[in-house]
Amino acid sequence: FDIELIYKNFSLENLSNLALLKIVKINESIADVSLKDIIGAGSYRLGAHSVLGVRLEPRQKELPLLDFKVVKDETTLALKLINGEIDLSIANISPRKLNWLKESKKGGLAFWETPSATYRYIGINHRHWPLSELSFRKALALLIPRLDIIKYKLRDTGVLANSLFSKAFADMYQYYPIDTYDPEKAQLILKSAGFSKNSAGYFQKEGKLVELDWKVSSNKASLELVNTMVDFLKKNGVKVNITTQEWGTFMRNFKQGNYDLVIGRWIGFTDASMLKYVFHSKSLPPKGGNRGHFINSEFDRFIDRATSEVNSNRRINYYKEAVKIANKQYAYLHLWHPHIIWITRNCIKNLTLEPNGSFYPLKKLKNDCK
């Protein structure tokens, strides 16, 4: 079939949403259409599929057959790589396990790495006190030891973030100062805003104790990361309780904005229009991704102008002004841009990774594995 798509509004995301290997949803009421009939905009047809695997069959002979398999445990994944049971891993793997694979030198593995467009952040709920106070958000940003975490926890597999946009976004990236770990400055900001420490060493204001709920999934790497940050916050007088939840429950609360603090990640976005989904006041759940209820009318005005602007230079400038506002208001607490890391058997050649982690390199790789 030939299908015509008509978009109500301009967005660069329109093209990326037709990308290689995009999974297409179809209305269940269309009984005469099989998933195998769907080709999409790429060079592959959907083959056998289940909860734990998907086969993509090439439409050109020169392209490789692609079998995607789900491996839920990273230790199992590491062993499968070493034993040659899989040729390539595109999964996120913890820095500890990655370092172990590199040092073990087993299985004849190759490691492909590039700076990414992925963005890690601390999401904060702007509706909840004291996160609703800008001074408190500023102080909180100064109590996160980002550099030490990147060096010792991430093993230098990331770079500090100063906004959603890494250097992979040539049009949007610009210099913004990055908050470094500075507990003395944080203490001064809090005291100037009327906060003081109680007898237990925790901050309070007008007799009300600062006590935050940080929700995190039961994923081991995420939990270790949050524990590290919470230790530093407690050490500096901010009381934080960690609520650990299984993945489904965590994601439900995350998407609904039921938290004080949360560590999040945005991946796969390709242009600045992402800002509207993430921070616009009309993008609150369930309609959008403004889960922390960041509300700023000036930000909205710049985003609305950008959305309707056809001149690319003016549109980018509007987006840049919106980023400045989001940064100034500490809409998120920036963390880092993790590297894209793929692990392959050394018989896989000709890989050039994309900053957004797309599967496009799979079209160009050379498979010499027997």
Side-chain angles (χ1 to χ4, degrees):
F1 302 96
D2 290 333
I3 300 175
E4 180 181 12
L5 301 179
I6 300 175
Y7 293 97
K8 294 180 180 179
N9 298 298
F10 169 80
S11 172
L12 293 177
E13 290 285 344
N14 295 345
L15 290 179
S16 67
N17 281 336
L18 298 175
L20 174 74
L21 311 186
K22 194 77 174 185
I23 295 174
V24 180
K25 291 182 180 179
I26 61 171
N27 192 319
E28 293 180 0
S29 64
I30 307 177
D32 59 341
V33 177
S34 165
L35 286 176
K36 290 187 177 182
D37 294 329
I38 296 175
I39 297 170
S43 304
Y44 285 84
R45 186 188 301 275
L46 185 66
H49 55 279
S50 67
V51 175
L52 295 178
V54 174
R55 168 168 290 192
L56 296 178
E57 301 167 349
R59 299 179 62 231
Q60 289 98 26
K61 292 182 179 179
E62 64 271 16
L63 294 175
L65 174 72
L66 300 176
D67 262 325
F68 289 85
K69 298 180 179 179
V70 176
V71 182
K72 295 183 177 181
D73 176 75
E74 69 173 18
T75 299
T76 304
L77 174 63
L79 293 175
K80 285 183 178 292
L81 281 166
I82 289 173
N83 295 332
E85 296 177 42
I86 54 178
D87 300 316
L88 182 153
S89 169
I90 59 175
N92 292 316
I93 192 167
S94 68
R96 181 192 295 111
K97 193 64 68 177
L98 176 66
N99 195 59
W100 178 79
L101 283 171
K102 288 180 176 179
E103 291 181 348
S104 69
K105 298 180 180 180
K106 296 178 181 179
L109 300 178
F111 301 87
W112 309 78
E113 188 168 347
T114 191
S116 80
T118 298
Y119 167 71
R120 295 301 304 266
Y121 64 93
I122 296 175
I124 55 183
N125 197 322
H126 291 256
R127 295 174 298 173
H128 296 176
W129 183 87
L131 295 168
S132 55
E133 295 189 24
L134 177 58
S135 57
F136 187 84
R137 300 196 297 271
K138 285 182 178 180
L140 209 61
L142 295 169
L143 297 178
I144 306 298
R146 298 165 183 80
L147 280 172
D148 285 344
I149 291 174
I150 287 178
K151 182 177 181 179
Y152 298 109
K153 284 284 186 183
L154 304 186
R155 309 293 181 95
D156 292 318
T157 58
V159 295
L160 289 177
N162 66 7
S163 80
L164 269 78
F165 304 103
S166 71
K167 291 183 178 180
F169 295 91
D171 290 337
M172 281 300 300
Y173 182 81
Q174 54 187 334
Y175 172 78
Y176 299 108
I178 295 175
D179 291 307
T180 56
Y181 181 65
D182 192 339
E184 292 183 2
K185 185 176 179 181
Q187 304 272 341
L188 288 175
I189 290 173
L190 289 173
K191 288 179 180 178
S192 297
F195 291 87
S196 61
K197 288 186 177 180
N198 63 14
S199 58
Y202 289 118
F203 277 103
Q204 61 182 4
K205 186 174 183 179
E206 297 175 355
K208 186 177 181 179
L209 176 67
V210 172
E211 188 169 11
L212 304 175
D213 173 37
W214 192 320
K215 284 188 169 61
V216 61
S217 75
S218 54
N219 174 273
K220 183 178 179 181
S222 297
L223 191 54
E224 286 183 357
L225 190 57
V226 170
N227 271 312
T228 298
M229 295 183 190
V230 168
D231 284 346
F232 276 87
L233 292 176
K234 287 182 176 179
K235 174 183 175 182
N236 289 288
V238 179
K239 187 173 183 179
V240 182
N241 302 314
I242 298 176
T243 302
T244 307
Q245 298 174 324
E246 58 86 22
W247 180 252
T249 303
F250 166 74
M251 284 304 298
R252 183 168 62 253
N253 282 307
F254 181 26
K255 290 181 177 180
Q256 293 175 354
N258 297 328
Y259 56 82
D260 288 330
L261 299 172
V262 69
I263 187 167
R265 174 177 63 185
W266 289 114
I267 62 175
F269 59 99
T270 56
D271 79 293
S273 63
M274 181 68 172
L275 287 168
K276 182 173 184 178
Y277 179 76
V278 173
F279 290 137
H280 198 283
S281 62
K282 292 184 179 179
S283 188
L284 301 176
K287 293 182 178 181
N290 189 357
R291 296 155 185 164
H293 288 249
F294 171 72
I295 306 295
N296 186 284
S297 58
E298 188 181 7
F299 176 91
D300 288 351
R301 282 196 294 271
F302 279 114
I303 293 298
D304 292 339
R305 290 175 186 173
T307 301
S308 59
E309 179 58 64
V310 295
N311 180 282
S312 60
N313 289 331
R314 286 197 293 267
R315 184 171 61 250
I316 289 297
N317 286 334
Y318 288 147
Y319 280 130
K320 285 181 177 179
E321 290 300 318
V323 170
K324 289 179 184 178
I325 294 168
N327 277 3
K328 187 177 180 180
Q329 294 297 316
Y330 288 82
Y332 280 159
L333 303 188
H334 307 309
L335 292 178
W336 48 77
H337 302 289
H339 291 173
I340 298 291
I341 302 173
W342 287 11
I343 307 171
T344 71
R345 296 169 65 191
N346 56 19
C347 48
I348 298 291
K349 310 292 183 183
N350 198 34
L351 266 183
T352 304
L353 303 188
E354 297 285 322
N356 66 352
S358 79
F359 292 169
Y360 189 73
L362 297 178
K363 286 190 68 176
K364 299 182 178 181
L365 67 79
K366 183 178 180 183
N367 185 1
D368 290 338
C369 301
K370 302 296 183 182

